[in-house]
Amino acid sequence: MSDLVQLDGQQPHSEPTGQHVEQAVRERYSAASREREASLCCPVQYDGRYLAILPDELIERDYGCGDPSRYVREGDRVLDLGSGGGKICYIASQIVGSSGCVIGVDMNDDMLALARRHRQTIAERIGWDNVAFHKGRIQDLALDLERFEDWLAEHPIRDANGWLLAQQQADLMRRQTPMIADGSVDVVLSNCVLNLVSPGDRQMLFEELFRTLAPGGRAVISDIVCDEVVPQRLRDDPELWSGCISGAFVEDEFLNAFLVAAFEGIEIVSRQAEPWATIEGIEFRSMTVRAWKPVDDEPLDLNQAVVYRGPCTAVVDEDGNLIPRGERTAVSSVDARRFAREPYAEQLVLIEPHTPVDPATAEPFRGEHHGTRSLAEIKGQGFRLTSLPGDSCCGGSADGSSCC
Ligand SMILES: C[S@@+](CC[C@H](N)C(=O)[O-])C[C@H]1O[C@@H](n2cnc3c(N)ncnc32)[C@H](O)[C@@H]1O
């Protein structure tokens, strides 16, 4: 399939040999859907307000390792990859409200049955019904496996020709009626699932995350990461793999996978201090990463600038541009919009020109303009206004506060 996500000078995580990991994962989570498996549980503090209406079996069969639902907002269209018993979907459903919607995708029939069993009851308790679960592989989000199974029931595979025909049909379904369409969701969540995907499919998995997000949308992924490459011997152990251990991403490999897929604003929003497990000195812990899909627009020169607040001497953005602390650094219209919102806005102050430049007549932004924005560009040529604070201001008000 696709190339491995690889960092320069590092051994990539290789494919486990022997039994295909997906089958081991399927068997393990079928059992875990019927009865809680304590060794798959990683303690997570969810917001209790959202758990109150959930049936006990969904709370106890929680196999997550973080809480990506904290980054969901009202009105969002949410996609949860590897939704399991549906807990994150039902939490997100309460946060997005009746104007948003939530889709859970899982490849396991038993997990899907567990999640779907409570849909009606939970919808009645919440007051709206905005959650749907689909059967699919998260590295192939265009193919709805239940629809494909319906087709297979009518066209059973008897020989190689039948197998080739089925592959063509799957491609047709991906193109004509994708399970998750391009740019159709605002947030992609996942809780402790990506590590279970075969390394050979991981690049495709990140491409799918990117494809399904709307421009400006975000991925929030909680997963198990490790601090060293896991030896092949441990990766070949189906118990360790399906237990969310030996398939863990090496930390920097995990972050780099978002970069390779063209995400921006990639940040670690939480990282467990103590390891969840340690094997032969390798530490495995939970990490949550948030990353954004860029808005694809023509970069114009609208005389805008940003000032980096510090505390470091300078920062370097994803395109390699240096933004020194305290300097008015010229930016394009695309970067200005990007830096004015999460996650950059806390560190960068956007400076707009006194006289806005009309985008219809603006010049394209040229990379070589990156550097200090002149005051003439910000304030206009010949700007010599004098304006002193009036008497009523800056003298302190009755409540003791000052206005400047
Ligand atoms: C560790 S559990 C996490 C479940 C859920 N996110 C939670 O927080 O409880 C992993 C889930 O991902 C599903 N899964 C694993 N690999 C998958 C894949 N390639 N495609 C779809 N689902 C997958 C499993 O069936 C299982 O339900």
Side-chain angles (χ1 to χ4, degrees):
M1 267 206 183
S2 34
D3 296 329
L4 290 178
V5 171
Q6 182 173 3
L7 283 175
D8 288 346
Q10 264 212 344
Q11 282 270 313
H13 264 168
S14 54
E15 196 73 40
T17 49
Q19 186 194 24
H20 195 274
V21 290
E22 206 165 281
Q23 189 53 23
V25 169
R26 203 171 277 117
E27 286 164 15
R28 183 92 177 250
Y29 289 96
S30 277
S33 73
R34 290 190 283 272
E35 201 175 330
R36 172 185 155 87
E37 191 186 327
S39 66
L40 291 176
C41 302
C42 177
V44 178
Q45 197 68 41
Y46 296 101
D47 187 333
R49 284 176 300 167
Y50 302 121
L51 297 182
I53 55 126
L54 299 191
D56 288 345
E57 68 171 2
L58 291 195
I59 296 174
E60 78 181 22
R61 278 166 240 178
D62 165 20
Y63 302 120
C65 60
D67 182 9
S69 69
R70 276 190 224 169
Y71 302 91
V72 172
R73 305 278 171 261
E74 192 178 342
D76 277 339
R77 295 163 296 169
V78 178
L79 172 64
D80 181 22
L81 305 182
S83 42
K87 177 201 66 257
I88 288 287
C89 291
Y90 291 124
I91 292 176
S93 161
Q94 296 172 69
I95 301 172
V96 300
S98 54
S99 62
C101 62
V102 184
I103 299 167
V105 172
D106 205 290
M107 66 176 184
N108 188 299
D109 292 308
D110 296 305
M111 276 295 184
L112 284 167
L114 172 64
R116 286 169 171 164
R117 187 151 70 228
H118 297 287
R119 212 190 101 195
Q120 194 72 37
T121 321
I122 294 174
E124 281 160 19
R125 289 180 190 165
I126 296 177
W128 50 81
D129 184 3
N130 60 356
V131 183
F133 293 99
H134 295 305
K135 180 172 175 179
R137 294 163 79 231
I138 62 172
Q139 60 271 52
D140 185 9
L141 289 166
L143 185 62
D144 185 324
L145 289 177
E146 280 168 331
R147 291 192 52 241
F148 186 48
E149 280 167 347
D150 289 345
W151 184 90
L152 285 171
E154 287 177 16
H155 307 83
I157 296 175
R158 297 204 176 82
D159 52 24
N161 290 342
W163 178 72
L164 289 170
L165 190 68
Q167 285 198 323
Q168 284 168 16
Q169 177 62 22
D171 280 343
L172 197 71
M173 287 178 160
R174 285 187 188 99
R175 276 200 310 277
Q176 293 189 342
T177 50
M179 178 175 70
I180 312 292
D182 295 3
S184 60
V185 297
D186 303 305
V187 198
V188 174
L189 306 178
S190 184
N191 198 359
C192 212
V193 184
L194 272 51
N195 69 84
L196 296 169
V197 173
S198 151
D201 286 354
R202 286 183 183 182
Q203 183 172 327
M204 183 169 153
L205 167 65
F206 277 89
E207 285 166 4
E208 281 292 79
L209 251 82
F210 194 83
R211 178 185 69 79
T212 53
L213 272 172
R218 61 221 186 265
V220 188
I221 310 294
S222 300
D223 223 298
I224 297 293
V225 293
C226 53
D227 58 358
E228 293 178 49
V229 172
V230 178
Q232 191 68 42
R233 183 171 38 84
L234 300 181
R235 299 175 75 73
D236 285 345
D237 181 334
E239 194 72 6
L240 283 181
W241 186 285
S242 60
C244 292
I245 296 182
S246 59
F249 287 80
V250 183
E251 287 188 34
D252 48 3
E253 177 195 332
F254 188 42
L255 292 164
N256 195 53
F258 289 92
L259 197 64
V260 170
F263 280 94
E264 65 184 19
I266 303 158
E267 52 176 344
I268 300 168
V269 291
S270 93
R271 181 184 183 277
Q272 220 175 20
E274 291 303 316
W276 169 57
T278 305
I279 299 179
E280 299 180 7
I282 306 171
E283 294 186 346
F284 296 86
R285 54 169 49 78
S286 161
M287 188 189 248
T288 301
V289 171
R290 180 172 61 171
W292 302 74
K293 177 168 176 169
V295 178
D296 205 10
D297 247 348
E298 195 199 348
L300 299 175
D301 195 345
L302 302 184
N303 284 350
Q304 295 161 301
V306 287
V307 171
Y308 169 51
R309 295 176 197 267
C312 297
T313 323
V315 284
V316 178
D317 72 8
E318 290 90 343
D319 304 319
N321 300 306
L322 185 82
I323 309 178
R325 179 179 53 212
E327 279 183 29
R328 286 181 315 277
T329 304
V331 290
S332 71
S333 54
V334 171
D335 281 344
R337 195 171 43 210
R338 171 161 74 112
F339 292 149
R341 64 158 167 75
E342 274 189 295
Y344 305 94
E346 273 186 17
Q347 291 162 39
L348 296 162
V349 184
L350 175 65
I351 301 185
E352 296 282 2
H354 286 199
T355 309
V357 178
D358 181 357
T361 55
E363 294 283 317
F365 186 84
R366 298 190 203 291
E368 62 267 24
H369 283 185
H370 255 284
T372 306
R373 178 71 83 186
S374 75
L375 284 174
E377 285 172 309
I378 296 282
K379 298 198 286 191
Q381 294 287 355
F383 183 78
R384 283 290 166 263
L385 174 74
T386 300
S387 167
L388 296 171
D391 287 346
S392 59
C393 205
C394 281
S397 59
D399 64 3
S401 64
S402 163
C403 66
C404 60

